[in-house]
Amino acid sequence: MSKIKDVAKRAGVSAGTVDRIIHNRGRFSEETADRVRKAISDLNYKTDIRARNFSLSLKCRIAVLMPFPELNNDYWKLPLEGMKNALEELSASHVTAEFFHFHEYNHDKFQNMIRNIRKKQFDAFVIAPLLHDEILKLFDTLFDDKPVVFFDSDIESSPRYTYIGQKSVEAGHLAAKLMNQMISGSDNKILIITTDSGNEHLTDRVTGFLEKISFKTETIEIPVNPDNMTEILEKIRPKLGSEYNGVYVAYSSCHYIAQMIEEQGLEKKIPLVGYDLVPDNIMHLERETISYILTQRPIDQGYLSIKTLYKKIILGQESASEQLMPIDIITQENLASYIRMREIS
Amino acid sequence: MSKIKDVAKRAGVSAGTVDRIIHNRGRFSEETADRVRKAISDLNYKTDIRARNFSLSLKCRIAVLMPFPELNNDYWKLPLEGMKNALEELSASHVTAEFFHFHEYNHDKFQNMIRNIRKKQFDAFVIAPLLHDEILKLFDTLFDDKPVVFFDSDIESSPRYTYIGQKSVEAGHLAAKLMNQMISGSDNKILIITTDSGNEHLTDRVTGFLEKISFKTETIEIPVNPDNMTEILEKIRPKLGSEYNGVYVAYSSCHYIAQMIEEQGLEKKIPLVGYDLVPDNIMHLERETISYILTQRPIDQGYLSIKTLYKKIILGQESASEQLMPIDIITQENLASYIRMREIS
DNA sequence: AGCACCTGCGTTAACGTACACGCAAATGAG
DNA sequence: CTCATTTGCGTGTACGTTAACGCAGGTGCT
């Protein structure tokens, strides 16, 4: 391995000059630059990243903007867990993060949070961009040219660095295939449950499902923060097993239905497909009141978000502009193996 | 962040002494050691890993011992791919590997390979320990105290550092559940295909399957390197769809059966469950002649094998002694998302 | 007592890069 | 022709840890 001094000697200049030419800073003549560049390629010089890191003692201070972890049936705890894993792994590399949480529908508090972020210095951002418009405005006023990673959902029109996430239409297709397979006979009806949040993932998961399902369907939209949840559920209860022969829940609230199925003594008789390995869903998978849970690796999404910024800022390695997770099928039989995996990090 | 000199000052000694005490090397008195340890905890001193790496300029030269990549229907290309990804990511950290491939049943050539390995210097080993006894002998004569990672299968009695792999009985259970779900009626028979290799994973996958399958079964053992493969297949062909109502292949050769199913025009009529995303299986998944493929993330196994050694040798971070992969269910609908994932890293 | 050896610890160079500083030569303005 | 400014490049130091080296004082042996 040749060093910067070797290059300098070969080009007949000093190490300082080589450094200036490599980083295109300070002043130098084009002729020397050519000689130096030739020497670099002759010797196959690569700057020693360890010495570089040591010398620069780069820091990577990340601000994470995402909903409160306990929202959506603890869903947001999952990417959070992945981020914490990455941060621990990289703690020695001076990668740190500060977390800023918000409610999806409280714009005032969001603005307040942004004011807090402005008071501090960050080198990069990880964001679940649920509040499209608010986030877009920040590119001019807050992010400057600092790298921004979106996870969970994307704003394609934005100058973000990378999106780490999911393809939800495909997930809907898969859910429909599993449902089709579990139900025999033709005169059946599937209940689809979603919310009125306007969340793109949810509409995509429903659209995909409808494209491939072989049975009649009926869709119920549950409000985001329902004050009358029991009432809604009670309307569904009597129809389970009679009118509805299967249930598809497009988000993490699947366990509510599982609970009712269990109370009605209909386990294993009503196929139930939902999303996300949140604690209540795990419990019902174990009892087989939920047939299948689909996930797009939220823990990995969190992990990769931090890791991607580390690679860019500390190692100077670029990543793909889109990193899409596979759709995992989880059922009673492989659940344990998934939960074990979490402990690996 | 306090530095080693701060600790030294506080304990009234020099930096060299602190270093010796931290690493428990050289000579020092217990009294000074106590003072220094107190100073370390008072100041919450952590050795700066970047400075440490820079100073030591640690190298991690890994020898990888595994079957030739093209064996088992290209199966071994998968962990190999994961290792190459890790090596590229870590190239800047002076992690390098040399690959030594063997045939599972050629002991002479294996010994020859070992002689070649002895000629060079390695800091760590990654091994698919298919030849149990041969590998066990190497702990005394080759590995010394260097860390050894086993992947794919394990030798629990050995002093290896970590095992990265699979739980195959569970995979068999899952395969049976999927098969049960795809077949209605009761008077059915499932064909089970395995080999006579004695490979533990295969027997476990069959055992697990038998524990949970609801139908009659018949098992055919195909020799490892069959000279009469066509003959064997032709015996099966006429029974497909008549005698056998489903096929379970416990290893990566599933595509042979898929091919026959296609030729007989029995697509989607005969459920077929197999293992591993090798190219031929991918093709048949797309055509839906294979219903489900199960995998235990061989690419990740390779990736983690290298990464684990990097963490230990370069970062000084220990890993769990067993890292088990989840069992992934792959079908036509989520296949694309899995293949996309490969390109992330 | 004399000598060899051991113990505990301080000193120092080395690792390779980045960057601030400043000198000398070249250039330009008047 | 002089002085100020710009250009091109060399010098030197900092970054924090490691580990070789060696010194001073103590211990043990003959």
Side-chain angles (χ1 to χ4, degrees):
Chain A
M1 282 294 113
S2 47
K3 308 150 199 209
I4 204 168
K5 281 196 179 173
D6 302 328
V7 174
K9 200 171 291 174
R10 188 170 233 269
V13 295
S14 76
T17 306
V18 177
D19 179 72
R20 255 170 275 132
I21 288 163
I22 288 173
H23 298 98
N24 195 29
R25 101 168 83 76
R27 292 183 288 249
F28 52 85
S29 72
E30 215 25 62
E31 303 155 66
T32 5
D34 283 342
R35 279 212 319 287
V36 167
R37 280 191 276 264
K38 180 158 189 321
I40 287 176
S41 82
D42 285 355
L43 296 176
N44 190 27
Y45 167 80
K46 296 231 170 70
T47 120
D48 181 329
I49 195 142
R50 267 136 80 165
R52 177 170 203 272
N53 280 345
F54 173 59
S55 173
L56 289 177
S57 72
L58 286 172
K59 286 185 198 344
C60 180
R61 294 161 302 177
I62 302 172
V64 180
L65 284 71
M66 61 182 283
F68 284 97
E70 59 275 14
L71 293 177
N72 277 70
N73 309 292
D74 288 336
Y75 173 75
W76 294 101
K77 283 185 181 170
L78 301 173
L80 188 61
E81 182 183 334
M83 292 186 206
K84 296 240 158 118
N85 289 346
L87 288 167
E88 188 172 337
E89 183 179 325
L90 300 174
S91 62
S93 305
H94 300 243
V95 179
T96 55
E98 194 165 334
F99 292 88
F100 300 90
H101 298 291
F102 54 86
H103 282 94
E104 198 169 340
Y105 304 101
N106 193 324
H107 297 244
D108 287 348
K109 284 197 180 165
F110 185 83
Q111 292 306 341
N112 204 39
M113 188 187 84
I114 297 297
R115 274 189 288 278
N116 282 327
I117 294 177
R118 282 188 205 283
K119 289 178 193 157
K120 312 197 178 181
Q121 270 296 1
F122 293 104
D123 309 303
F125 297 85
V126 168
I127 302 175
L130 295 172
L131 297 161
H132 271 221
D133 302 337
E134 271 89 345
I135 302 278
L136 270 177
K137 283 179 207 151
L138 297 175
F139 275 95
D140 294 327
T141 62
L142 178 63
F143 303 151
D144 297 333
D145 284 331
K146 291 160 191 163
V148 174
V149 170
F150 285 159
F151 76 99
D152 187 76
S153 57
D154 196 12
I155 310 178
E156 289 177 36
S157 64
S158 69
R160 55 141 178 81
Y161 177 59
T162 297
Y163 166 57
I164 294 172
Q166 11 196 134
K167 282 276 195 208
S168 297
V169 178
E170 287 176 30
H173 291 165
L174 177 54
K177 164 165 175 162
L178 294 171
M179 190 65 87
N180 287 338
Q181 210 156 67
M182 284 185 291
I183 297 178
S184 50
S186 59
D187 193 25
N188 291 293
K189 194 189 216 178
I190 311 295
L191 171 64
I192 299 174
I193 295 183
T194 178
T195 75
D196 62 357
S197 69
N199 179 307
E200 223 171 287
H201 285 315
L202 299 199
T203 55
D204 283 354
R205 285 171 181 172
V206 172
T207 309
F209 190 80
L210 289 172
E211 281 170 19
K212 300 276 182 177
I213 190 72
S214 315
F215 305 103
K216 282 173 296 193
T217 61
E218 182 181 328
T219 304
I220 294 183
E221 275 193 1
I222 296 184
V224 182
N225 293 311
D227 40 6
N228 57 344
M229 189 67 180
T230 8
E231 203 176 309
I232 297 171
L233 289 173
E234 287 314 316
K235 271 191 194 156
I236 296 172
R237 188 189 293 272
K239 298 182 177 175
L240 285 175
S242 52
E243 193 169 339
Y244 305 134
N245 309 99
V247 185
Y248 173 58
V249 184
Y251 62 118
S252 54
S253 288
C254 180
H255 55 91
Y256 288 119
I257 305 297
Q259 186 65 37
M260 278 202 300
I261 287 178
E262 194 172 83
E263 285 162 10
Q264 303 295 99
L266 292 165
E267 298 96 320
K268 302 193 196 183
K269 288 181 190 147
I270 299 194
L272 174 55
V273 176
Y275 285 88
D276 303 318
L277 276 189
V278 299
D280 285 340
N281 287 347
I282 290 177
M283 186 185 78
H284 283 290
L285 257 182
E286 280 166 350
R287 300 194 200 163
E288 286 193 87
T289 37
I290 295 178
S291 324
Y292 290 105
I293 284 292
L294 305 185
T295 89
Q296 299 226 32
R297 304 197 187 174
I299 301 180
D300 294 24
Q301 287 183 36
Y303 181 86
L304 278 175
S305 299
I306 300 293
K307 195 68 182 284
T308 297
L309 288 171
Y310 160 73
K311 281 194 188 176
K312 175 159 181 64
I313 294 186
I314 307 277
L315 300 183
Q317 293 175 3
E318 301 296 338
S319 296
S321 80
E322 228 179 24
Q323 305 180 55
L324 298 173
M325 298 295 107
I327 303 158
D328 287 329
I329 306 171
I330 303 172
T331 173
Q332 201 208 18
E333 276 72 19
N334 65 347
L335 173 64
S337 77
Y338 267 82
I339 294 184
R340 264 200 312 263
M341 179 68 180
R342 282 203 196 174
E343 285 134 38
I344 294 181
S345 125
Chain B
M1 283 291 111
S2 47
K3 306 148 201 210
I4 204 168
K5 282 195 179 174
D6 303 327
V7 174
K9 201 171 290 174
R10 189 170 231 269
V13 296
S14 75
T17 306
V18 177
D19 180 72
R20 256 173 275 130
I21 288 164
I22 289 174
H23 298 98
N24 194 29
R25 104 167 82 76
R27 294 181 290 249
F28 52 86
S29 72
E30 218 21 66
E31 303 156 66
T32 355
D34 283 341
R35 278 211 321 286
V36 167
R37 280 191 277 265
K38 181 158 188 320
I40 287 177
S41 81
D42 285 355
L43 297 176
N44 190 26
Y45 167 80
K46 296 230 171 69
T47 121
D48 181 328
I49 196 136
R50 268 135 80 165
R52 175 170 204 271
N53 279 346
F54 173 59
S55 172
L56 289 177
S57 71
L58 288 172
K59 285 186 198 347
C60 179
R61 294 161 302 177
I62 301 172
V64 180
L65 284 72
M66 61 182 283
F68 284 96
E70 58 276 15
L71 293 178
N72 277 70
N73 308 292
D74 288 336
Y75 172 76
W76 294 101
K77 283 186 181 169
L78 301 173
L80 188 62
E81 182 183 335
M83 293 186 205
K84 297 239 158 117
N85 289 345
L87 288 167
E88 187 172 338
E89 182 179 325
L90 300 174
S91 62
S93 305
H94 300 241
V95 179
T96 55
E98 195 164 334
F99 292 89
F100 300 90
H101 298 291
F102 54 85
H103 281 94
E104 198 169 342
Y105 305 101
N106 193 323
H107 297 245
D108 286 347
K109 283 197 182 165
F110 185 82
Q111 291 306 340
N112 205 39
M113 189 187 83
I114 297 297
R115 273 189 288 280
N116 282 327
I117 294 176
R118 281 187 206 283
K119 290 179 193 156
K120 311 196 179 182
Q121 270 297 358
F122 292 104
D123 309 303
F125 297 85
V126 169
I127 302 175
L130 295 172
L131 298 162
H132 272 220
D133 303 336
E134 270 88 345
I135 302 278
L136 269 177
K137 283 180 206 148
L138 296 175
F139 275 95
D140 294 326
T141 61
L142 178 62
F143 303 153
D144 297 333
D145 284 331
K146 291 161 190 162
V148 174
V149 170
F150 285 160
F151 75 99
D152 187 74
S153 57
D154 196 12
I155 310 178
E156 289 179 36
S157 65
S158 70
R160 56 145 178 79
Y161 177 59
T162 297
Y163 166 56
I164 294 173
Q166 4 196 330
K167 282 277 195 208
S168 297
V169 178
E170 287 176 32
H173 291 165
L174 177 54
K177 166 167 174 158
L178 295 170
M179 190 64 87
N180 288 338
Q181 208 156 69
M182 284 186 291
I183 297 179
S184 50
S186 57
D187 193 27
N188 291 293
K189 195 190 216 177
I190 310 296
L191 171 63
I192 299 173
I193 295 183
T194 178
T195 74
D196 62 358
S197 69
N199 180 305
E200 225 172 286
H201 285 315
L202 298 200
T203 56
D204 284 354
R205 284 171 181 172
V206 171
T207 309
F209 189 81
L210 289 172
E211 281 170 18
K212 300 275 182 180
I213 190 74
S214 314
F215 306 103
K216 282 174 296 192
T217 60
E218 181 182 329
T219 304
I220 295 183
E221 276 193 1
I222 296 183
V224 182
N225 293 312
D227 39 6
N228 57 343
M229 189 67 180
T230 8
E231 203 176 308
I232 298 171
L233 289 173
E234 286 314 317
K235 272 191 194 156
I236 295 172
R237 189 189 294 272
K239 298 183 177 175
L240 285 174
S242 52
E243 194 168 340
Y244 306 135
N245 309 97
V247 185
Y248 172 58
V249 184
Y251 63 118
S252 55
S253 287
C254 180
H255 54 93
Y256 288 118
I257 306 296
Q259 185 65 38
M260 279 202 301
I261 287 178
E262 194 171 84
E263 284 163 11
Q264 304 295 100
L266 292 165
E267 298 95 321
K268 302 194 196 182
K269 288 180 191 146
I270 301 194
L272 175 54
V273 176
Y275 285 88
D276 304 319
L277 276 188
V278 299
D280 285 339
N281 287 348
I282 291 176
M283 186 186 79
H284 282 290
L285 258 182
E286 279 166 351
R287 300 193 200 164
E288 286 192 87
T289 37
I290 295 178
S291 322
Y292 291 104
I293 284 291
L294 305 185
T295 89
Q296 299 228 32
R297 304 198 185 171
I299 301 180
D300 293 24
Q301 288 184 36
Y303 180 86
L304 277 175
S305 299
I306 300 293
K307 195 69 182 284
T308 297
L309 289 171
Y310 160 73
K311 281 195 186 176
K312 175 160 183 62
I313 294 186
I314 308 278
L315 301 183
Q317 293 175 1
E318 301 298 337
S319 296
S321 79
E322 227 177 25
Q323 304 181 56
L324 299 173
M325 299 293 108
I327 303 158
D328 287 330
I329 305 170
I330 303 173
T331 174
Q332 200 208 19
E333 276 73 18
N334 65 347
L335 173 64
S337 77
Y338 268 81
I339 294 185
R340 265 200 313 261
M341 179 68 180
R342 283 203 196 174
E343 286 135 37
I344 293 183
S345 122

